[in-house]
Amino acid sequence: MRSFITMLIIVAGLFGCAQKISAPPAAPNEVKPPEGVSVAAIKKMETPQVAEGKTIYTTKCARCHGPKPVENWTVQEWVPIMERMVPKARLNETEAANVTAYVNFYAKSGS
C-alpha cells in the first residue's frame, strides 16, 4: 500500500512539473498591467521622482507665492520659469531635477 501511495505522489509530482515546464516563459522585461488597467494609464503613473518633486514644490516653491497650479503651463513654458525660480528657491541639483519632473508630468499639453 505504501509503495502505491508513493507511486501516486511521484506521478502527481511529474504531472504537475510537466504542466509548469510546458508553459511559455515570459519575456524577461515584460510587465503586464493588472486586469482593468491600461498600459497608457501605467505610463502616466507618478514615479517616486515626480512624487518627491511635488513635495519639494509644495514646501519650497510655494513658500513664497503659494502653490501655483502646474497644469497652467506647458513643458516649454516651464523651462524659463524653472531657470528663474530654482536659484531663488535654493534648490540643489537633485531637487531641481525632481521639481522639473513634477511640473513636466502635470504640465498642460501643447506647445
Side-chain angles (χ1 to χ4, degrees):
M1 182 71 167
R2 268 189 168 176
S3 62
F4 180 72
I5 292 173
T6 304
M7 190 137 140
L8 281 176
I9 292 172
I10 292 171
V11 169
L14 290 175
F15 181 72
C17 289
Q19 287 181 340
K20 290 178 186 174
I21 293 171
S22 65
N29 293 326
E30 180 182 356
V31 177
K32 291 185 179 180
E35 190 173 322
V37 178
S38 71
V39 173
I42 287 178
K43 288 181 180 180
K44 193 61 180 164
M45 293 176 100
E46 268 190 14
T47 64
Q49 183 182 26
V50 170
E52 181 62 26
K54 180 179 182 179
T55 300
I56 296 164
Y57 182 82
T58 56
T59 58
K60 290 191 174 187
C61 301
R63 178 175 40 201
C64 294
H65 51 67
K68 303 287 184 184
V70 296
E71 62 275 2
N72 286 356
W73 295 274
T74 65
V75 170
Q76 293 80 14
E77 291 169 330
W78 271 110
V79 172
I81 296 169
M82 292 299 294
E83 288 173 354
R84 199 171 55 252
M85 298 308 293
V86 165
K88 290 182 180 184
R90 296 188 176 139
L91 302 182
N92 65 37
E93 197 173 303
T94 302
E95 291 171 326
N98 290 345
V99 173
T100 300
Y102 167 66
V103 298
N104 288 344
F105 187 82
Y106 287 106
K108 72 178 175 181
S109 298
S111 43

